[in-house]
DNA sequence: AATTAATATTGATTTATATCAACACCCAAA
DNA sequence: TTTGGGTGTTGATATAAATCAATATTAATT
């Protein structure tokens, strides 16, 4: 663990937006109780089943948030990036993580003791409301994913996944996709073989362009059409 | 709309547990701003896309909470019964319902203006925390459902659905299942035809007993085994 | 540089599950 | 009493997607 003293929770450019609701004193409390850590690509930041001792916020990098399923098969629930609270609903249920978090690239993260977050919830209503908003939004995302998984076919789910990565995660038409084919499959509910085949299909139809791990969306309208109809 | 003046939020036996955190004054406020309504079986209580003007609590009956999907296909997210907050995450995101609610049987419900709930969140931290706990638990349920949908096969999902209905919803080994085969399919992610076939299969293997809409779980261990492995 | 281990790719085959079609049943309405 | 829409049931068929298997490629390690 290390701590860069020049950056604090007060001036952090990638802090969780809900921290805007805190007073200076509260931000100081937060800053005083946080620890930073650095992770190499592929390292596990926390593990499903372990205690939710800390709330986690990435300060750089990307990580996958995944559930470990029934016979070694995982499902990726979301890709985490800086500015997002990662602590999981277990915090307010059974103090256990219900999914694991692993870095996709070199990643730095702040750890804040859960009790500090809970204390802030109890003494700052705006912060509590912000927390509710945050968890509500994530809830909607999960509902959407559930609908997508249960009603769309592979084409639609992959198209949706690619657009999500482009719009929300990497924020570019052309991005280095840190996910393996296996992981893309875990994100969109299909096998790695199917991912390969479909990516090739999209490529052949000039919808996307793939060079190794760089994905470029060429024909977004077409991809959106597939996302909606498929 | 009618109002039974003998029952108030103070003495209501099926109120949302989080109301325990309110003061008497707050309970009075709540009680003063609520309206009750009665629904016949199959009636829509609120519709996906409509404004989340009210938080809803059933006081009797059962209702299905479902998303309307892509080509007329629905997915049932949960079965609601008295004691549960039904308002949906949209309340704290975009003020729109992201799923619909329809009664399965004759059902009565209390409507509380969303602004009242939000006011209580802002002035009572314990209540806010209770709300966080509630939404967190529901979040976990959705994660679980997502995992189930993406990794289990039909047998496993149906077994899981039946156990859920028995344990959590109707709280009996033998229950009148108000859901049609179609709805059981929407709940477990399969077609009505598959539901029929599998129910028959479970019946033939003496795992359950079916007489019309009465379902009885005969061999729960076996059903649990199917739920886990399938 | 050599060896191993992960990942990616491709094709052939199998399987789970949806779809389609036909019919029986029951309840509500004309 | 008949009609008709929703529901339930069964069987035959189609199809999406997983699995299996083999090979290619890239990355990691000695």
């Amino acid at each position: 663990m290390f701590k860069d003293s020049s950056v604090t929770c007060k001036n952090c450019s990638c802090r969780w937006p809900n921290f805007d609701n805190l007073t200076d004193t509260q931000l100081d409390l937060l800053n005083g109780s946080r620890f930073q850590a650095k992770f190499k690509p592929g390292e596990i930041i926390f593990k499903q089943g372990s205690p939710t001792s800390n709330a986690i916020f990435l300060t750089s990098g990307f990580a996958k948030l995944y559930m470990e399923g029934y016979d070694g098969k995982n499902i990726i629930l979301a890709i985490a990036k800086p500015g997002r609270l990662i602590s999981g609903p277990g915090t307010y249920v059974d103090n256990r993580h219900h999914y694991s978090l692993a870095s996709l690239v070199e990643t730095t993260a702040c750890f804040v003791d859960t009790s500090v977050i809970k204390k802030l919830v109890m003494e700052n209503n705006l912060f509590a409301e912000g927390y509710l908003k945050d968890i509500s939004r994530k809830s909607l995302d999960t509902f959407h994913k559930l609908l997508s998984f249960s009603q769309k076919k592979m084409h639609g789910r992959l198209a949706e996944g690619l657009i999500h990565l482009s719009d929300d995660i990497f924020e570019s038409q052309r991005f280095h996709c840190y996910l393996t084919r296996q992981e893309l499959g875990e994100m969109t509910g299909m096998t790695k073989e199917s991912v390969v085949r479909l990516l090739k299909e999209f490529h052949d139809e000039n919808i996307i362009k793939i060079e190794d791990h760089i994905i470029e969306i060429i024909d977004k309208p077409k991809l959106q059409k597939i996302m909606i109809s498929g």
Side-chain angles (χ1 to χ4, degrees), chain A residues 89-101:
Chain A
T91 305
Y92 273 108
V93 179
D94 58 0
N95 295 305
R96 290 286 176 274
H97 285 294
H98 291 256
Y99 46 73
S100 300
L101 183 70

Side-chain angles (χ1 to χ4, degrees), chain A residues 127-220:
Chain A
F127 182 73
E129 196 187 44
Y131 202 140
L132 273 168
K133 283 179 187 172
D134 185 87
I135 203 167
S136 293
R137 169 154 293 289
K138 285 169 184 164
S139 236
L140 286 187
D141 291 344
T142 314
F143 284 154
H144 186 91
K145 194 153 190 134
L146 190 59
L147 192 65
S148 184
F149 267 54
S150 68
Q151 298 203 341
K152 283 187 181 171
K153 293 197 292 282
M154 291 198 309
H155 290 77
R157 295 199 306 272
L158 186 60
E160 186 166 297
L162 291 174
I163 287 173
H164 172 59
L165 289 177
S166 168
D167 285 358
D168 310 321
I169 306 300
F170 300 116
E171 298 177 69
S172 164
Q173 293 285 97
R174 187 168 188 277
F175 54 91
H176 182 108
C177 180
Y178 298 118
L179 301 163
T180 64
R181 304 296 193 250
Q182 172 72 38
E183 288 168 330
L184 280 172
E186 288 169 0
M187 190 178 96
T188 53
M190 65 185 87
T191 60
K192 60 183 189 308
E193 290 95 333
S194 293
V195 171
V196 169
R197 277 183 260 265
L198 284 197
L199 284 179
K200 188 171 152 54
E201 196 181 314
F202 287 173
H203 179 90
D204 290 348
E205 288 170 17
N206 291 309
I207 298 167
I208 60 173
K209 202 169 152 191
I210 301 187
E211 319 151 26
D212 208 18
H213 270 222
I214 310 280
I215 296 181
E216 183 174 359
I217 296 182
I218 309 277
D219 192 343
K220 194 172 171 186

Side-chain angles (χ1 to χ4, degrees), chain A residues 1 3 9 15-16 19 22 26-37 51-59 85-87 91 97 109-120 127 131:
Chain A
M1 300 261 186
K3 206 157 168 177
C9 295
R15 73 182 185 193
W16 187 32
F19 288 145
L22 296 183
Q26 290 171 332
L27 281 169
D28 286 340
L29 167 71
L30 185 69
N31 193 57
S33 64
R34 87 191 153 87
F35 288 92
Q36 238 175 312
T52 53
S53 336
N54 297 281
I56 284 154
F57 306 89
L58 302 195
T59 48
L85 163 70
I86 311 160
S87 67
T91 305
H97 285 294
C110 279
F111 288 71
V112 177
D113 199 289
T114 301
S115 64
V116 172
I117 300 289
K118 287 191 176 178
K119 182 175 145 64
L120 292 172
F127 182 73
Y131 202 140

Side-chain angles (χ1 to χ4, degrees), chain A residues 60-108:
Chain A
S60 76
F62 294 96
K64 64 173 176 175
L65 207 143
Y66 64 103
M67 286 180 97
E68 306 184 28
Y70 298 105
D71 33 76
K73 288 182 190 171
N74 297 332
I75 166 173
I76 292 181
L77 297 169
I79 306 298
K81 61 177 193 173
R84 176 191 165 119
L85 163 70
I86 311 160
S87 67
T91 305
Y92 273 108
V93 179
D94 58 0
N95 295 305
R96 290 286 176 274
H97 285 294
H98 291 256
Y99 46 73
S100 300
L101 183 70
S103 58
L104 292 170
V105 293
E106 179 152 307
T107 296
T108 50

